[in-house]
Amino acid sequence: MSQTRFILNESDLPKQWYNVNADSPVPPAPVLNPQTLEPVTPDFLSVLFPMELIMQEISTDRYIDIPEEVREIYKLWRPTPLIRARRLEKALGTPAHIYFKHEGVSPSGSHKPNTAIPQAYYNKVSGTQALTTETGAGQWGSALSLAGNFFDIPVEVYMVKISYQQKPYRRVLMESYGARVYASPTDRTQSGRAVLEHDPESPGSLGIAISEAVEAAATSGGAKKYSLGSVLNHVLTHQSVIGEEALKQMDMAGEYPDVVIGCVGGGSNFAGIAYPFLRENLHNGQNTRLLAVEPTATPSLTKGEYTFDYGDTARMAPIVKMHTLGHDFVPPPIHAGGLRYHGMAPSLCALYDAGLIEAIAVPQLATFEAALTFARTEGIIPAPESAHAVRAAIDQALDAREKGEERVILFNLSGHGHFDLSAYQAYLSGQLQDYEYPEEAIKAALQQIPQVAF
Ligand SMILES: *Cc1c(COP(=O)(O)O)cnc(C)c1O
């Protein structure tokens, strides 16, 4: 009657990833070469990624087998628990039932190892000698450092400078796993030097750090490949283990969610929990609302333009069709570093455009307020990114209270906030602020998007 944690056995660990491209009602827009503005060839992508990941990127197979080597490592923390937030429900006085999937139990503290492990694995088997990547808050860098270490591949991380300063222990964690970490913009790459020349005090951004990591791989003569922690199809596919497990766990709880919630930076943890439920909507007559939550400071879904844009600031990464704020938009320095990205996963944008997914934006202070309510009832300090999902889940529960509805709410707790305590300190001492919607900066950045013929 009062079960709180819904725990699966190791044998329930999914054997396949779910690829939403098999079910998307909209055919994916072409991915364009940033130099030619023509559709990319596998050749272009193979400078950056191993062939197996490129095949997954363009695959329309509904399911992709998870290699046994990857499942073995997943077992270090998966299946993750599904938890009924009974104490939060009580504190809110809501008739709603609130469940959350706890991805913060992974070794590096977020959902990101779900894709870091397979990416390192496919690179290993194809002979990659080193991996380059960027990191914002440090969660992705930590996850890839962990994965590189497991598969014996050196990892080079370009960390957004403001996060490098705000989160020194994330760097130590990455270095403990054996990675090398640089504060981006650096003077190691042409794109980094260009930014520094223009603005020596640049706080950096994910867009800039991506440029540096892409350049480091592209100029390595094939020795280094690049690894991306979100946005791309294969990343979102790997994250589907979250939703597949959650489906089984909701079944154990004898309920089915009316609404599924996740925060969105590039879209991977939201897609991870939501896409398997979208499949049930499309094929099995379910009618679950899927709600993506972004910061008001980087509102790419709710305020961005749906068009082709570069994935990075220096225009080295492929051009994709997405909701974008403009590739050279530098977001305000909110503490949810993992959400400071100008674009969004193309598959998610297409589904949003088709009305199959909803989105809202929430301001920084309200997310920290929700995070503390959650910490004081459920005991877990959420990552500032995840706090956006917590905010939306609490608002859903309050709305259900107002309407007297027994709404079933499921949200993804994408990570814990143990490395984000300086952000909490700033909040607790009244030093955090909300940022106005950066309308002018976004307008200016949108002037710079490429004009393409697709
Ligand atoms: C990276 C990160 C995010 C944002 O990335 P998505 O690809 O949108 O999931 C959200 N939460 C946490 C904890 C993260 O580390």
Side-chain angles (χ1 to χ4, degrees):
M1 273 304 278
S2 62
Q3 191 169 350
T4 295
R5 283 160 55 93
F6 299 88
I7 305 295
L8 296 170
N9 294 317
E10 269 183 19
S11 56
D12 293 312
L13 185 66
K15 294 193 166 63
Q16 294 181 310
W17 291 300
Y18 168 60
N19 174 16
V20 81
N21 284 342
D23 287 327
S24 181
V26 234
V31 173
L32 308 181
N33 181 312
Q35 276 104 46
T36 63
L37 307 189
E38 293 292 323
V40 290
T41 56
D43 265 7
F44 172 83
L45 290 177
S46 67
V47 172
L48 300 180
F49 305 106
M51 198 44 75
E52 191 70 30
L53 291 176
I54 296 172
M55 297 315 287
Q56 290 183 9
E57 188 60 25
I58 57 177
S59 170
T60 52
D61 293 345
R62 182 165 287 118
Y63 294 102
I64 294 172
D65 289 340
I66 306 176
E68 214 33 57
E69 292 86 340
V70 171
R71 292 183 79 243
E72 280 307 313
I73 294 180
Y74 275 175
K75 284 179 191 168
L76 293 176
W77 74 95
R78 305 208 71 85
T80 61
L82 179 84
I83 299 171
R84 169 111 181 248
R86 292 182 184 274
R87 295 174 51 85
L88 176 62
E89 289 169 14
K90 201 163 166 215
L92 298 175
T94 178
H97 294 183
I98 307 173
Y99 294 84
F100 64 96
K101 185 75 166 146
H102 191 2
E103 290 296 309
V105 300
S106 82
S108 61
S110 78
H111 65 291
K112 297 231 169 60
N114 297 334
T115 183
I117 300 296
Q119 289 194 46
Y121 168 76
Y122 291 118
N123 271 287
K124 183 67 183 181
V125 296
S126 75
T128 302
Q129 288 163 33
L131 285 170
T132 70
T133 197
E134 73 292 329
T135 198
Q139 290 271 21
W140 169 241
S142 307
L144 194 70
S145 301
L146 171 80
N149 168 60
F150 283 158
F151 289 105
D152 218 4
I153 305 178
V155 176
E156 193 173 296
V157 183
Y158 293 84
M159 184 172 191
V160 177
K161 190 178 281 167
I162 182 167
S163 302
Y164 187 92
Q165 290 159 350
Q166 283 173 347
K167 298 177 189 191
Y169 296 132
R170 271 282 163 201
R171 170 168 63 84
V172 177
L173 180 64
M174 290 184 260
E175 289 173 348
S176 301
Y177 288 138
R180 299 205 144 207
V181 186
Y182 306 100
S184 165
T186 73
D187 57 7
R188 292 171 53 83
T189 66
Q190 227 171 348
S191 27
R193 287 190 294 272
V195 174
L196 288 174
E197 221 162 87
H198 179 73
D199 177 12
E201 301 305 313
S202 168
S205 71
L206 271 179
I208 296 167
I210 292 174
S211 299
E212 292 207 89
V214 166
E215 183 182 328
T219 56
S220 71
K224 299 178 187 177
K225 300 274 183 206
Y226 167 70
S227 197
L228 187 63
S230 187
V231 178
L232 297 177
N233 293 327
H234 66 267
V235 177
L236 273 57
T237 295
H238 297 158
Q239 293 295 352
S240 65
V241 288
I242 303 172
E244 296 292 10
E245 288 177 7
L247 273 165
K248 288 187 188 170
Q249 289 163 308
M250 290 302 306
D251 199 45
M252 286 169 80
E255 303 213 76
Y256 198 86
D258 296 305
V259 57
V260 172
I261 298 168
C263 65
V264 286
S268 75
N269 89 84
F270 171 74
I273 195 162
Y275 284 179
F277 287 93
L278 175 67
R279 176 191 62 213
E280 301 305 306
N281 282 356
L282 294 173
H283 294 300
N284 292 322
Q286 296 292 355
N287 194 21
T288 298
R289 291 177 59 197
L290 307 171
L291 182 60
V293 191
E294 61 187 11
T296 47
T298 53
S300 33
L301 281 176
T302 53
K303 301 270 195 182
E305 210 164 294
Y306 187 37
T307 183
F308 285 89
D309 195 11
Y310 300 94
D312 69 327
T313 304
R315 312 183 203 182
M316 304 193 57
I319 295 171
V320 295
K321 189 175 182 192
M322 60 182 174
H323 284 81
T324 178
L325 302 169
H327 58 274
D328 54 14
F329 170 65
V330 176
I334 53 167
H335 280 269
L339 307 185
R340 292 179 73 239
Y341 182 60
H342 67 274
M344 188 60 65
S347 72
L348 205 157
C349 293
L351 294 165
Y352 177 63
D353 202 52
L356 296 172
I357 282 169
E358 302 167 54
I360 55 168
V362 293
Q364 174 157 268
L365 289 176
T367 64
F368 275 93
E369 185 202 357
L372 282 191
T373 301
F374 186 71
R376 289 170 183 176
T377 49
E378 297 297 320
I380 301 167
I381 290 264
E385 293 84 1
S386 319
H388 290 70
V390 176
R391 175 75 265 167
I394 288 178
D395 289 344
Q396 282 289 322
L398 294 176
D399 183 60
R401 181 179 73 186
E402 207 158 285
K403 297 183 174 140
E405 282 176 26
E406 228 187 58
R407 196 174 302 173
V408 179
I409 301 164
L410 167 63
F411 75 91
N412 195 25
L413 188 72
S414 53
H416 68 62
H418 296 174
F419 289 92
D420 305 287
L421 293 179
S422 63
Y424 281 90
Q425 185 180 33
Y427 177 72
L428 289 169
S429 58
Q431 280 160 23
L432 275 198
Q433 60 175 105
D434 279 332
Y435 294 91
E436 301 245 332
Y437 166 56
E439 192 168 357
E440 290 309 315
I442 291 172
K443 244 191 220 158
L446 285 173
Q447 300 287 312
Q448 305 301 322
I449 56 178
Q451 300 301 313
V452 302
F454 295 91

